[in-house]
Structures are given as C-alpha cells and as structure tokens.
Amino acid sequence: MSLYNFKKVESKWQDIWHKNHVFKATNKADKKAFILEMFPYPSGRLHMGHVRNYALGDVLARFRMAQGYDVLHPIGWDAFGLPAENAAIENKSHPGKWTYKNIEVMKKQMQSLGLGYDWSREFATCDPSYYKHEQKMFLDFYKNGMAYKKKSQVNWDPVENTVLANEQVVDGKGWRSGAIVQKKELSQWFLKITDFAEELLQGIEKLDKWPDKVRAMQRNWIGKSYGASIHFHVKETGDSVGVYTTRPDTLFGASFIVLATDHPISKQVSEKNSDVAAFIKKWQAMGTSQKALDTVEKAGVDTGLKAKSPIEDRDIPIYVANYVVSDYGTGAVFGCPAHDERDYEFAKNHDLPIICVKGDKEGNAFDVSEKPAMEEGISVNSGFVNGLDKAASIESVIKELEKSGKGSRQTNYRLRDWGVSRQRYWGCPIPIIYCDDCGVVPVPENQLPVQLPDDVSFDTPGNPLENHPTWKETTCPKCKAKAKRETDTFDTFFESSWYFLRFASPHSDQAFDRDLVEKWLPVDQYIGGVEHAILHLLYARFFCYALKKCGYMDLEEPFKGMMTQGMVCHETYKNELGKWVSPDQIRKEGSGYVENSTGAPIKVGSSEKMSKSKKNVVDPQFIIDEYGADAARLFILSDSPPERDFEWSEAGLQGAWRYIKRVWKMVESAKDIKSFKLDSVQGTALAALKIIHKTIDSITKDLELFHYNKAIARLRELTNSLADLDLKNTEESGVYRFGCGALIKLLAPFTPHLSEELWQILEGSEKETIIKAGWPIANQDYLSENTMTLAVQVNGKVRSKITVAEDASKEDIETLALADDQVEKHMQGQKPKKIIVVPKRIVSIVI
RNA sequence: GCGGGUAUGGUGGAAUUGGUAGACACGCUAGAUUUAGGUUCUAGUGGCGCGAGCUGUGGGGGUUCAAGUCCCUCUACCCGCACCA
C-alpha cells in the first residue's frame, strides 16, 4: 500500500487534462451547459474567495460533463482598472506590464487548483482585440440615441489635480493627498439605462433561478413608484414648480414647498437674495454622500415666494431646503408635515402650519400635536375627498388635477442613467472626436480600435491621456480639420457587461458570432459574489437589451441561473498589544494560542470576512502546497451551503485531508478484487448495495440544487458504510469493489485528481478519464426497501419503533404497534381514543 | 427609516409536503496499536438524572394526535440601500 502523493498526482492529471483538451467545449451543444464564474480582476494572487467561487463552478461543470453535456466553462480577465494605475505610479512601470504579470501568476494558481477551464477561450479585456468591439457597441448605442453627454459632478482632488473614484475618497478627503475633496462639474458620457427601466423590471420576473434577495435588490434599485406630477403656480414670477408625489391624497395637507439647493428656482432666487445664496453655498459644500446628513437637522430658508395650491384657494410658501434630493423626481417636493416625518421636523423648525388630513373611520382627525400620523386613514379636512380612503383619495385628486390641467398621473423610477466616463488611463478609450466645426464626431468604424498609447507617463497629476503630448491630436473624420480625441475612458463595468457573450466565440472578428451566442447563451449558471448583485448584473442585463435593440442578437436575459456565494471567514487574533496577528504567526499551546515570535498569549476574536486589515487571511497557495488542491476544494465546499458564509479553519482542512487519505487507502485496497457479481447478493452485501444506489440518487439530486455540503456528507456516509464491509466475504468484497468505483465517480467533481488516479488504478491505464466515464446512475430496484421502521408515538411522544413490511396494511400496523411492549407500558392499560397511521412515517396513538 | 436574511449541541451545519431533531464533520473524552513525516482504529459525546425518565431548535403565545418547520408577537445579530417625496 502506497502513501498518497498528492503533489505528483495532481500535477500529473493537470498535464493530462491539458494535453488532451479535456475541457474544450465542442460547440456541438445539443445538450449544452454554460457554467460561468465571475471573471477576476488580476490583482496579483488568488484569495480564498476566488477558490470558493471557482470550486463551486468547477464542481457543476465537471458534474454536467460527466452527465454528457457539452460544457462551456471559460475564464478570462477583467483586466482594466484603477489598481493597475496605482501600481504603475508606485513601481514606475506600465499598468499593462503589471496586469499581464498578475495574469500569469493567477493563471498558474488556477491550474494548480485543477480547475477545468477551456483555456482556448481565455482573453483579457485590456487587449485591443477585445475592447475594439465595445467601442463599436458604444458607437451603435450613440447612433441609436442611447448614449449622450451631460454635465455631472465628480470628486475632485485639488492637490493632485485629478478625479477620484468613490473608494478613493476617505472621510471626504483624497486618499493620497488628504486634501478636502471638491465637487466639480464635468461633461461626461451617459448610457440611457433609464429607457429600459420597465423592461429591466419586468425581466426580473422571468429570472426564477435567481436568489430572491438579488431580485429584490434589483427591483429596489430600479425603484418604480406610482404617483402624480403636480404643477404649482408661483404667484410672484408666473413660473410653475413641478413636483412629483406618491401621495397626492395628502395634497390638502400641503403647507410648504421645498426645493433642492440646485433647483433652477433656487439658483434664480439666490441671485437677489443673499440669505438663500448663503444657504445654498453652505449645503452644496457639504456634499450628499455623507452619513453626517443622518444626524443633521432639517434646515431651510424662505425664498419669499408663494405658490398657489392647485386644488384650493390657498397660498403655500416656498423654501430651499437641505433634505431634498436634487436628481430624483424634479428636485422639488410639497411638504405635508402632518403625515411625513421629514416634513414634520422641517415644519416644527420653521414654524409652519401642520394640517392634519387623515382620520379614523368616524372622521375624527388623528392627533398630530406630538408626531406625524403615519398610519393609513380616511381623508378629512380635504374638500372633495373627505371620507374617502387612501387609494380612492389618490384617484380622486389625480382625476381632479388632470381635469384642471394642473397635474397628471405619473410613474417614476429611481434608476438613473449610467455615467460611463472615467478620467483614467487604464481603460477602454471612448471612440469620439471633438471638432471645432463639426462638434461631436464618432470615430469611423474602420478606424477602430482607438488604442491606448504605450508611451504613457504618470509623473504629472491628472489624466495621462489628456497629458500625453500627441495622442489626443487627430483630424476630424468629417472635415479633415484638426481635432481632438475624447481622453476619457470607459467605466470598467463596460467590459464586464458583455464578456460572457465573447466567450461563445472568443476569436471572432466580430464582437461575437451570432449563431454561437444563440447556441450557448443564456449562461445556465452564473456564480459570483453578492457584491455584484446590483450594478454588474444590472448593467450586463441592460447591455443585452441594448444590444438587441441595436440588432446584435435576440437574447434579452443573459443569466438564466444565478448563485451568489457567501464570504470566506476566519477567526481573528490579537496579541497583548491589541494588534491583529495573522494565523500563520501563532501556534497552539495548551488550550489557547500564543504568538510565535514572543510566546505571549493570543486573544481569539470573532470570525470575520478574511481581510488584510484584520490579518485573518489564509493564502490559498500555501494550502495547495501543503495539502493539495483536492483537500482545499473538498473542505471549502463541505461545511457550509454555498450561499452562506464559510468558516475556514485549519482543523477542518485537516479533516478533509484525512478523508482523502482514507479514500485512497480504501480504494487502492479494492484494486485486486477483479470479478464481482451483484445480481444475487443477500444480507449485508445487499444492504450495502442499496446504500450505494441510494447515495448515487441523493448526491445527483444534491448537485442539481447546489447542496454541495450535503453531497459531501452523503459521500462520507457511503465511505463509512463501505468500510464496514468484510472483504473476506466474496459477496461483500464484490459490493465493496463496486462501491469504490461509484464513490470515486461521485467524488470526482470535488476531488478530481484523487478520483482520476484511483480510477486509473481500478480500471487500468487504457481507460478514459473518469469525467468521460460518465455519471453513475442509480438502479431504481435498489432504492426501495421491503421493510420499514416506523416510530410509534403515544400522546405525541415517541415511545418505540416497529419494523413492518412495506406493503403492510393500516390494520396490521395498528395491531403491531399496540402489541409492542414499550407502547403497552405507556398506554397504562387505557384504550386508545384514536390511532393515526401515516404511511412510511409514523404511528400516533392518542389515549 | 426601508428592503432582505439569519437564529438548531462546545463549533460548522443536517432534517421532502408539519411526522424518529442533532445526519456528516470539527472539537473533546476514554481505550488500542503505536505512528517514523500533519498517524490509524474502537467506543462515547445536546442538557439534567445512578436510573426509569425528564427536558431541549433565540424569548413568549397559538393551531395540531404531532411544530425546528405553520400563525401571532417580541428580541438579537448580519447584509444591502438610504432625507427617493
């Protein structure tokens, strides 16, 4: 008996899979499965989150492959992004060089994990042969009116003279310079995702293989609401203020109107009114993203203007306030303090009237002297809607507004258009030329791709493309005059919005081969982190709707199945100084841990998401080197359901490793059992055979449902059962041999290297890989038992168990149950009032 | 504040349509063989009790012959979004 040499075995099989193109998709696709994990950003090395993500996908891909599906399981690189630029600044090297070096390292790591990818489809999004297609897509969006320019605010670092991403703003200051971040208006490109708000919302209904949580998040993000648009006439200026409300039923309770600080009327008034100007200045500087706004008091300033109520003869003062969102609705709201907490606070602060317009069924107005009445009620003090409930009041007010032309029914969406401009180097150039005479001119298709220049310098602050001496200089495609290129690049969500389409035909001259997209898409199972539940998934969905509109394809929803995995967590450790200590810096001593370097005791903290800042990370490379890929894969899939958080522990990993060694020994010992007959086995052998078939059946079902942790538990049960067999008995050893074959096939998606090696040992070297050997199929004849054990309850408590024939009649079961010693004892001579027999489950006796 | 989720032994977690709670593993305890590389094997392991037994799925209440599962209510924690009118 030999020891299991995982290092030798794992690299051996990785080579064989690679040489034989085992994971190459054939495009035959009569029974296809497109399995996709979110492609990684090449940040340097794999972390445990990657391992979990890719292991989940790999199990499914290998399972489907064994079942005979033509499997598309590709991987690539989301290669544009800010970290590459930061690294370039730090190391004085090129972002591309850094990126490709990382790709090389991570690719090697993926291969050493034994992930079954079709590497012939690999690509990196920073390759011009990839990004030229999205430049064309953008131009098609532009031609179809789905891309436009508008002014929008960015985070501006006045010291570095550069735009900051949200994550580069820390406590309102630039992360590097520490300068207070300013808001600056820049003209930027936007995609009209709002045009598809309704389709994207409706589409969610069809995505029944997505987690409800993610669907809900997308629904909320789109934020559809029903209400009315109301026009208030401004007496002094003759203007009209448009207001959107979901509660037109509270219009009779309106006692003021509040405008956002950058509402046109606010700006207009500020020119003459210094109080208003000062107020706007104060609140614009504050920004909007801070949590400080939470605690801040609702403040405002009177413009002196009065608006006329559209349904009453009543004047309403107009204020500028700090609590109105400027880019939602119209940036103006009517305040009904009696029935809105924010308006209530504002009214109290500014001594404005609080008009209660809701009451109980008898028409008694609610008490609003202490707080607003938020409950639903019947309209009171409300003219023509008095006595109506909420829904009827809303209807009635809208009808009246429409009759008088002072308002209309309106549906609103919270979703905003997608700003795609980034003032960065390491991204896809936006293919637009600005000509003094012709204006905005798209780059002609035959001039694509617009490539990034290689000779780029990060010495000067600001956008390197803008600073490049010659790159932006060009000629106008229309008039041939001197012109300038757009120096902004795309948001990197652009690349990830269509890469899954590219995988169907990664070497096509077009963005994708339409037939192949139709063959492979939608992605049958997409797997990734929940952090992408909204933006990435929404943008990718939008892209498909938009591409369809531009005639690229017929596909609408790209991801049929979605699975969001949980985080990988680990215990946290602190030393006596209260500093975080990493798990490889400590050792066990007695019942606790001590720090390696000092021998001082370690305080064990709660388990939290692995993060560098808490130093509770475990490097997958270390695990692969020490225990092998199979152990890492098996463990990371075994303890928790995929969608929940996973707790990494050394002990758990060792458990997986011990199991692998055990399987190795067991299966290797079965190799000499050559002939085995299973048809007529009896007794223990038959029972074991049944367990084998039942395990095949339940694991197949578990894998369909992503219950990998349960599948692994079943595998261990099967292993335990096989270990109990007596190999000196011919029948039992035959069943043992058969069971070992099934076991390694069932294990193959989880521990592919171990399974391949053992399969070769059992079946001889001429056999195909275990993946091609097919998925075991349970024999239905062995799934049923001819006897069964029923629990017997007396007054709701289990008192005994009886064994009956499977086809026993209710009467027989009753008789048997009543005759049982334990049951008799607990009946205490009383007669049963009622006996309930649930077939195959339980007997319940009531006395 | 809104939306979503979770709560089961010392730990991670199992448990079709309500039907034997704690599968499987980690850890722990005892024993055996002794491991030549991180052993392997056997037995035990929710709590209380010597025992028959009692009790037990975050707390309280309910429906039912029967509740981890269904209903009401409360609590704690986690995630996402947030002055969205």
Side-chain angles (χ1 to χ4, degrees):
Chain A
M1 195 182 300
S2 62
L3 262 157
Y4 179 51
N5 185 338
F6 70 84
K7 281 197 176 160
K8 218 170 108 191
V9 169
E10 291 190 351
S11 69
K12 169 187 163 183
W13 286 99
Q14 284 158 17
D15 285 347
I16 292 175
W17 296 330
H18 181 70
K19 279 192 196 116
N20 298 341
H21 309 288
V22 171
F23 300 104
K24 203 170 160 129
T26 63
N27 284 345
K28 280 183 194 140
D30 46 329
K31 197 177 154 196
K32 68 96 178 175
F34 187 175
I35 318 285
L36 186 66
E37 298 106 56
M38 289 181 181
F39 69 160
Y41 178 75
S43 55
R45 296 166 73 77
L46 292 186
H47 53 68
M48 279 302 174
H50 288 129
V51 175
R52 192 175 192 199
N53 190 190
Y54 307 144
L56 285 166
D58 201 41
V59 168
L60 184 59
R62 286 172 181 271
F63 172 54
R64 289 287 183 240
M65 207 172 265
Q67 284 182 314
Y69 284 80
D70 190 8
V71 171
L72 176 56
H73 188 215
I75 193 79
W77 309 95
D78 191 10
F80 276 136
L82 206 43
E85 261 179 86
N86 295 330
I89 295 166
E90 259 173 52
N91 315 325
K92 303 256 175 228
S93 72
H94 192 271
K97 219 172 132 185
W98 181 84
T99 302
Y100 279 104
K101 197 189 81 212
N102 290 345
I103 287 176
E104 203 184 312
V105 172
M106 290 170 77
K107 183 173 177 180
K108 212 171 259 171
Q109 289 189 302
M110 286 179 170
Q111 284 170 333
S112 71
L113 273 169
L115 300 169
Y117 290 125
D118 180 352
W119 287 103
S120 71
R121 293 175 191 251
E122 175 193 8
F123 57 77
T125 57
C126 61
D127 187 330
S129 71
Y130 179 83
Y131 68 67
K132 78 172 182 193
H133 302 295
E134 68 189 42
Q135 290 179 337
K136 180 171 182 307
M137 288 173 189
F138 175 77
L139 294 176
D140 285 326
F141 292 163
Y142 181 66
K143 279 174 207 155
N144 284 281
M146 284 142 55
Y148 66 100
K149 264 197 124 172
K150 79 168 177 194
K151 292 215 162 170
S152 123
Q153 290 196 335
V154 293
N155 304 309
W156 183 255
D157 185 321
V159 171
E160 294 215 330
N161 230 18
T162 190
V163 176
L164 298 175
N166 284 331
E167 62 265 29
Q168 294 173 316
V169 181
V170 183
D171 295 332
K173 293 175 189 149
W175 64 327
R176 250 198 275 267
S177 68
I180 305 256
V181 172
Q182 300 174 347
K183 295 279 169 195
K184 189 173 172 177
E185 273 210 331
L186 285 182
S187 178
Q188 311 210 69
W189 285 98
F190 283 81
L191 295 186
K192 272 199 178 167
I193 190 171
T194 52
D195 276 5
F196 296 86
E198 188 58 34
E199 278 155 286
L200 289 167
L201 182 66
Q202 295 294 324
I204 295 169
E205 300 310 314
K206 287 179 270 176
L207 302 173
D208 58 338
K209 287 186 176 166
W210 281 38
D212 289 341
K213 180 186 173 179
V214 174
R215 299 207 292 170
M217 282 164 88
Q218 294 226 341
R219 261 185 228 112
N220 291 342
W221 191 259
I222 294 168
K224 186 177 187 177
S225 66
Y226 302 92
S229 159
I230 304 173
H231 312 298
F232 287 82
H233 182 78
V234 183
K235 291 179 86 173
E236 289 80 357
T237 63
D239 289 342
S240 157
V241 187
V243 162
Y244 172 72
T245 180
T246 56
R247 295 295 304 275
D249 57 316
T250 63
L251 188 50
F252 284 97
S255 57
F256 56 93
I257 283 173
V258 265
L259 308 175
T261 49
D262 54 355
H263 191 277
I265 294 179
S266 306
K267 287 183 180 167
Q268 205 182 309
V269 174
S270 73
E271 285 163 17
K272 292 173 203 144
N273 184 328
S274 60
D275 286 352
V276 173
F279 181 85
I280 291 173
K281 205 174 166 202
K282 181 181 169 193
W283 289 104
Q284 257 180 349
M286 283 287 283
T288 51
S289 63
Q290 283 306 307
K291 267 214 164 151
L293 287 180
D294 255 4
T295 46
V296 112
E297 286 233 336
K298 306 225 171 337
V301 59
D302 193 347
T303 61
L305 301 176
K306 298 270 188 291
K308 206 172 163 318
S309 165
I311 47 172
E312 288 175 278
D313 185 19
R314 188 156 67 84
D315 288 347
I316 301 170
I318 302 177
Y319 281 70
V320 179
N322 63 354
Y323 74 99
V324 182
V325 181
S326 63
D327 49 6
Y328 178 75
T330 59
V333 182
F334 77 74
C336 175
H339 308 290
D340 183 287
E341 278 163 357
R342 297 156 301 180
D343 296 339
Y344 193 85
E345 190 186 332
F346 188 83
K348 282 279 178 192
N349 289 345
H350 292 85
D351 225 3
L352 290 159
I354 295 168
I355 309 161
C356 183
V357 290
K358 295 284 166 187
D360 62 21
K361 280 175 194 148
E362 281 72 45
N364 305 311
F366 292 134
D367 177 16
V368 295
S369 56
E370 296 295 323
K371 57 177 175 44
M374 302 304 291
E375 63 266 45
E376 249 185 64
I378 302 298
S379 292
V380 298
N381 300 327
S382 297
F384 59 86
V385 294
N386 276 338
L388 298 179
D389 66 9
K390 181 178 163 188
S393 301
I394 289 174
E395 277 306 305
S396 180
V397 169
I398 290 177
K399 285 209 176 106
E400 184 60 30
L401 288 168
E402 285 181 331
K403 223 190 318 179
S404 64
K406 287 174 180 163
S408 57
R409 187 183 307 278
Q410 198 184 322
T411 306
N412 221 12
Y413 299 89
R414 206 184 70 114
L415 184 67
R416 294 173 210 165
D417 277 338
W418 175 16
V420 295
S421 297
R422 295 292 182 274
Q423 295 69 37
R424 316 239 155 249
Y425 167 73
W426 197 233
C428 170
I430 299 177
I432 289 288
I433 291 167
Y434 299 105
C435 170
D436 285 342
D437 294 326
C438 312
V440 175
V441 184
V443 173
E445 254 178 57
N446 59 16
Q447 288 177 26
L448 295 182
V450 177
Q451 287 209 42
L452 286 173
D454 277 334
D455 55 335
V456 67
S457 159
F458 296 94
D459 297 340
T460 350
N463 182 353
L465 286 181
E466 182 71 40
N467 295 340
H468 191 279
T470 55
W471 185 79
K472 68 182 170 191
E473 307 300 338
T474 187
T475 52
C476 171
K478 270 192 189 160
C479 71
K480 307 295 172 201
K482 278 196 169 178
K484 290 204 191 311
R485 290 191 186 284
E486 169 67 81
T487 56
D488 285 354
T489 51
F490 286 132
D491 176 8
T492 56
F493 274 122
F494 218 92
E495 284 80 54
S496 55
S497 291
W498 69 282
Y499 77 105
F500 43 89
L501 301 172
R502 184 75 182 159
F503 275 136
S505 51
H507 310 297
S508 170
D509 299 338
Q510 304 298 309
F512 46 81
D513 180 316
R514 197 174 173 142
D515 289 341
L516 287 172
V517 161
E518 252 137 57
K519 240 170 214 178
W520 284 111
L521 276 283
V523 173
D524 294 278
Q525 187 62 56
Y526 197 29
I527 307 169
V530 73
E531 66 271 21
H532 291 115
I534 297 178
L535 292 184
H536 163 57
L537 290 175
L538 194 65
Y539 291 153
R541 295 180 57 220
F542 155 66
F543 243 68
C544 288
Y545 282 93
L547 288 174
K548 186 188 172 193
K549 199 175 164 190
C550 293
Y552 277 70
M553 57 182 193
D554 294 321
L555 179 77
E556 284 187 339
E557 290 295 340
F559 311 121
K560 194 168 157 197
M562 179 70 219
M563 150 90 216
T564 49
Q565 79 199 62
M567 298 180 294
V568 180
C569 300
H570 194 284
E571 272 184 340
T572 49
Y573 307 106
K574 277 186 178 177
N575 64 16
E576 287 176 310
L577 303 168
K579 289 205 169 163
W580 301 108
V581 180
S582 110
D584 55 12
Q585 308 258 308
I586 64 170
R587 63 171 189 271
K588 228 180 173 175
E589 206 170 279
S591 57
Y593 293 101
V594 297
E595 193 168 6
N596 279 339
S597 54
T598 60
I602 286 289
K603 206 179 151 204
V604 178
S606 62
S607 179
E608 290 180 54
K609 181 190 176 172
M610 283 191 184
S611 73
K612 280 180 192 152
S613 63
K614 286 177 184 150
K615 291 202 178 169
N616 61 340
V617 290
V618 174
D619 187 348
Q621 193 60 54
F622 176 78
I623 306 302
I624 296 167
D625 294 343
E626 294 291 305
Y627 295 91
D630 283 343
R633 294 167 57 122
L634 184 67
F635 174 50
I636 210 161
L637 297 172
S638 65
D639 264 16
S640 304
E643 62 277 4
R644 281 222 226 162
D645 286 354
F646 179 85
E647 190 159 328
W648 183 275
S649 72
E650 183 82 5
L653 175 67
Q654 282 177 7
W657 169 236
R658 276 201 296 271
Y659 176 71
I660 285 171
K661 283 197 291 188
R662 186 175 179 216
V663 171
W664 173 262
K665 274 202 295 192
M666 278 178 60
V667 179
E668 217 201 8
S669 73
K671 72 178 175 208
D672 297 324
I673 306 170
K674 290 297 177 200
S675 65
F676 50 95
K677 272 198 204 131
L678 302 174
D679 314 352
S680 56
V681 295
Q682 296 294 325
T684 312
L686 179 62
L689 191 57
K690 284 184 171 177
I691 289 173
I692 295 166
H693 283 283
K694 282 179 180 169
T695 304
I696 292 170
D697 185 57
S698 65
I699 288 183
T700 306
K701 286 173 183 158
D702 284 338
L703 290 186
E704 291 289 349
L705 297 168
F706 263 118
H707 293 167
Y708 295 171
N709 56 328
K710 281 175 16 189
I712 292 169
R714 295 286 98 80
L715 282 163
R716 297 186 103 127
E717 281 176 306
L718 175 62
T719 312
N720 291 342
S721 304
L722 294 177
D724 288 341
L725 289 172
D726 177 9
L727 298 191
K728 290 186 202 96
N729 174 302
T730 324
E731 282 195 349
E732 289 185 39
S733 84
V735 171
Y736 182 81
R737 169 64 181 75
F738 171 73
C740 285
L743 175 67
I744 56 174
K745 277 188 187 174
L746 295 171
L747 260 172
F750 302 97
T751 59
H753 311 87
L754 174 77
S755 290
E756 289 280 22
E757 187 69 10
L758 288 171
W759 180 246
Q760 195 176 54
I761 288 170
L762 281 190
E763 300 292 323
S765 57
E766 304 81 27
K767 288 280 177 178
E768 285 193 287
T769 70
I770 194 166
I771 303 158
K772 300 264 165 84
W775 192 250
I777 292 167
N779 184 336
Q780 297 295 317
D781 297 344
Y782 292 113
L783 297 185
S784 60
E785 296 286 349
N786 38 32
T787 62
M788 56 186 178
T789 306
L790 291 181
V792 185
Q793 292 182 341
V794 179
N795 275 358
K797 290 190 178 167
V798 177
R799 296 300 184 184
S800 186
K801 284 161 198 179
I802 54 170
T803 302
V804 299
E806 197 178 37
D807 54 357
S809 68
K810 280 194 176 189
E811 290 73 23
D812 292 349
I813 292 171
E814 276 182 26
T815 315
L816 262 166
L818 289 170
D820 185 272
D821 287 350
Q822 283 294 315
V823 172
E824 222 178 331
K825 180 180 153 197
H826 284 96
M827 300 262 306
Q828 293 173 322
Q830 299 189 55
K831 278 204 172 160
K833 280 189 196 143
K834 199 171 168 188
I835 302 177
I836 298 151
V837 177
V838 184
K840 294 183 186 175
R841 296 223 184 272
I842 209 161
V843 183
S844 189
I845 301 168
V846 188
I847 56 171

